[in-house]
Amino acid sequence: MELLNVAVPGDQEVTIGQIVTPVGLVAFPWEQYIGGEKRWGVAFRAEKLAIAAAARPVPVPSAESSASADVA
């Protein structure tokens, strides 16, 4: 999973650590010269951030249910 900085307009209803999907994502390549040295990169902008669907936790059998299954 890649972490990117994405600019969005206004306040978004997300909190730090939430997994989001950018809606209307656009990439803008840029370059600049500072002190004769060329720097470049890609800036990202989105219309909004949508909260990604949470993955369902996988049930883990407890020690009691495992032990009773062995007896049968």
Side-chain angles (χ1 to χ4, degrees):
M1 175 173 54
E2 183 82 20
L3 299 177
L4 301 174
N5 288 324
V6 178
V8 290
D11 292 333
Q12 301 293 306
E13 295 295 322
V14 296
T15 59
I16 294 173
Q18 280 185 309
I19 297 174
V20 297
T21 301
V23 176
L25 182 66
V26 180
F28 298 95
W30 60 269
E31 68 180 35
Q32 64 183 2
Y33 288 90
I34 297 179
E37 186 176 322
K38 182 178 179 178
R39 297 182 60 198
W40 62 274
V42 179
F44 297 94
R45 183 160 186 84
E47 295 171 13
K48 68 178 187 173
L49 299 176
I51 299 171
R56 292 187 204 166
V58 177
V60 177
S62 66
E64 290 177 11
S65 63
S66 295
S68 63
D70 292 339
V71 174

